[in-house]
């Protein structure tokens, strides 16, 4: 799969090279922070065009070009030091393709031009707080023609916003969340979207839970009911309370479970005394 994507990326890179070689926008950094338990995103001007990263942040390069070749430089964030099987697989597949393109084919021939490919990565530490600056640093390297996103939809969602701020075309072969590509003309992907599949999943689960609840008399003994005294749909809703603390409710989840406020974190070791005020909060919010 990676090889197919990378071949398409190479052809696309040539188009970008012709139309927007070296084009970059004003330097603006996406800063992601957690303030009072809430994740915030803000664009901050960077007059130095130097995206700050922790000291010793790893970088990696790959490309063995023959002399006389023009170069398509592809750069972006990747998880270099923290273990990420997906990120490693994507880098390794990219390196294999670049070696094949540069060494076996002697580069990409388009008309009278021959182009090789060079890769560059900056470590995103598998962190949403570091990936935007890692992306900015990678995209601002000399002679970068377009960006390539790392692995996972979660991290790519931030890399895509930084690519848009830098006005740099970015390709993703490791992210399938539809929202990454919405309203972002600089972002392109090769994987099919998963949002519709997730929506179908939630519809199916809620439908089954509702069917089970309807089939059982809720006044019967809790031991006789599959989901206990609360019923299956209410149990699902309670699970969504925990999910809302770490995940964004999408439209379908909100449709079936309603807006869940406030976020409630419940320890698995919480005592009855600790649970009572939490339950009162939930009741006060009609949950």
């Amino acid at each position: 799969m990676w090889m197919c994507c990378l071949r398409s990326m190479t052809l696309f890179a040539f188009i970008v090279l012709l139309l927007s070689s070296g084009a970059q926008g004003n330097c603006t950094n996406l800063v992601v922070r957690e303030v009072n338990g809430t994740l915030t995103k803000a664009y901050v001007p960077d007059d130095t065009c130097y995206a700050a990263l922790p000291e010793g942040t790893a970088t990696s390069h790959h490309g063995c070009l023959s002399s006389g070749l023009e170069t398509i430089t592809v750069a972006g964030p990747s998880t270099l030091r923290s273990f990420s099987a997906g990120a490693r697989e994507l880098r390794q597949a990219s390196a294999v393709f670049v070696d094949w393109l540069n060494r076996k084919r002697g580069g990409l021939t388009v008309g009278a031009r021959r182009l090789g490919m060079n890769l560059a990565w900056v470590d995103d530490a598998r962190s949403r707080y570091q990936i935007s600056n890692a992306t900015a640093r990678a995209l601002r390297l000399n002679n970068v023609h377009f960006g390539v996103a790392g692995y996972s939809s979660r991290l790519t969602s931030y890399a895509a916003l930084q690519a848009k701020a830098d006005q740099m075309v970015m390709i993703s072969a490791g992210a399938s969340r539809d929202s990454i590509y919405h309203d972002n003309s600089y972002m392109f992907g090769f994987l099919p979207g998963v949002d519709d599949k997730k929506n179908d999943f939630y519809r199916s689960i809620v439908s089954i839970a509702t069917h089970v609840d309807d089939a059982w008399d809720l006044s019967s003994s809790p031991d006789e009911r599959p989901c206990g005294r609360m019923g299956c749909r209410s149990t699902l809703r309670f699970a969504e309370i925990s999910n809302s603390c770490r995940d964004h409710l999408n439209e379908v989840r909100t449709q079936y479970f309603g807006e869940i406020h406030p976020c409630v974190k419940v320890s698995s070791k919480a005592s009855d005394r600790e649970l009572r005020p939490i339950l009162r909060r939930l009741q006060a919010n009609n949950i």
Side-chain angles (χ1 to χ4, degrees), residues 114-148:
R114 296 181 66 200
L115 301 104
M117 180 178 283
N118 195 28
L119 302 169
W121 297 285
V122 177
D123 188 19
D124 59 30
R126 206 175 182 180
S127 168
R128 60 190 177 190
Y129 304 112
Q130 182 166 317
I131 187 169
S132 55
N133 273 13
T135 302
R137 181 77 65 86
L139 297 183
R140 295 169 192 169
L141 295 173
N142 291 332
N143 301 319
V144 170
H145 298 105
F146 77 108
V148 60

Side-chain angles (χ1 to χ4, degrees), residues 8-282:
S8 301
M9 287 166 59
T10 307
L11 294 174
F12 189 83
F14 178 71
I15 298 174
V16 175
L17 183 66
L18 292 177
L19 298 180
S20 58
S21 178
Q24 295 186 11
N26 296 327
C27 292
T28 302
N29 299 338
L30 174 69
V31 178
V32 181
R33 294 193 181 100
E34 187 170 333
V35 179
N36 297 325
T38 301
L39 192 68
T40 64
K41 294 179 287 187
Y43 287 104
V44 178
D46 182 1
D47 295 335
T48 66
C49 289
Y50 185 81
L53 289 170
E55 185 177 354
T57 295
T59 61
S60 180
H61 302 266
H62 189 87
C64 183
L65 305 181
S66 303
S67 59
L69 285 180
E70 294 183 69
T71 305
I72 300 172
T73 301
V74 183
S78 184
T79 304
L80 299 177
R81 288 185 172 171
S82 301
F83 178 74
S84 170
R88 182 179 62 183
E89 179 182 340
L90 182 54
R91 288 196 309 276
Q92 290 175 342
S94 301
V96 169
F97 173 75
V98 164
D99 287 342
W100 171 81
L101 177 70
N102 294 337
R103 297 177 183 178
K104 298 295 184 181
R105 289 201 51 175
L108 178 68
T109 303
V110 180
R113 302 178 68 179
R114 296 181 66 200
L115 301 104
M117 180 178 283
N118 195 28
L119 302 169
W121 297 285
V122 177
D123 188 19
D124 59 30
R126 206 175 182 180
S127 168
R128 60 190 177 190
Y129 304 112
Q130 182 166 317
I131 187 169
S132 55
N133 273 13
T135 302
R137 181 77 65 86
L139 297 183
R140 295 169 192 169
L141 295 173
N142 291 332
N143 301 319
V144 170
H145 298 105
F146 77 108
V148 60
Y151 182 77
S152 89
S153 292
R154 181 179 68 89
L155 292 176
T156 301
S157 64
Y158 300 103
L161 293 175
Q162 184 60 56
K164 184 177 182 179
D166 274 69
Q167 300 178 27
M168 178 71 72
V169 173
M170 176 171 276
I171 305 294
S172 171
S176 55
R177 187 180 298 167
D178 296 345
S179 58
I180 292 171
Y181 308 99
H182 291 169
D183 301 321
N184 189 343
S185 58
Y186 291 93
M187 197 69 194
F188 297 85
F190 292 98
L191 298 182
V194 299
D195 286 0
D196 288 340
K197 295 179 181 178
K198 286 184 178 180
N199 292 346
D200 291 341
F201 168 78
Y202 281 111
R203 289 190 185 97
S204 298
I205 292 297
V206 172
S207 177
I208 292 171
T210 303
H211 177 76
V212 172
D213 284 347
D214 291 344
W216 287 83
D217 182 1
L218 294 182
S219 64
S220 61
S221 170
D223 294 335
E224 299 177 0
R225 296 196 294 272
C227 301
R229 188 181 301 277
M230 292 175 61
C232 295
R233 183 158 174 156
S234 294
T235 301
L236 281 173
R237 183 171 172 77
F238 193 81
E240 288 302 310
I241 294 170
S242 296
N243 287 338
S244 70
C245 296
R246 60 177 176 81
D247 194 13
H248 218 33
L249 292 180
N250 68 26
E251 182 178 349
V252 170
R253 290 165 71 181
T254 302
Q255 173 186 346
Y256 285 111
F257 299 113
E259 292 287 352
I260 298 177
H261 297 292
C263 167
V264 178
K265 296 181 180 180
V266 182
S267 169
S268 60
K269 299 180 180 179
S271 65
D272 289 344
R273 182 177 179 180
E274 293 172 312
L275 286 173
R276 288 192 193 102
I278 294 174
L279 293 174
R280 283 197 292 268
R281 286 178 63 194
L282 297 178

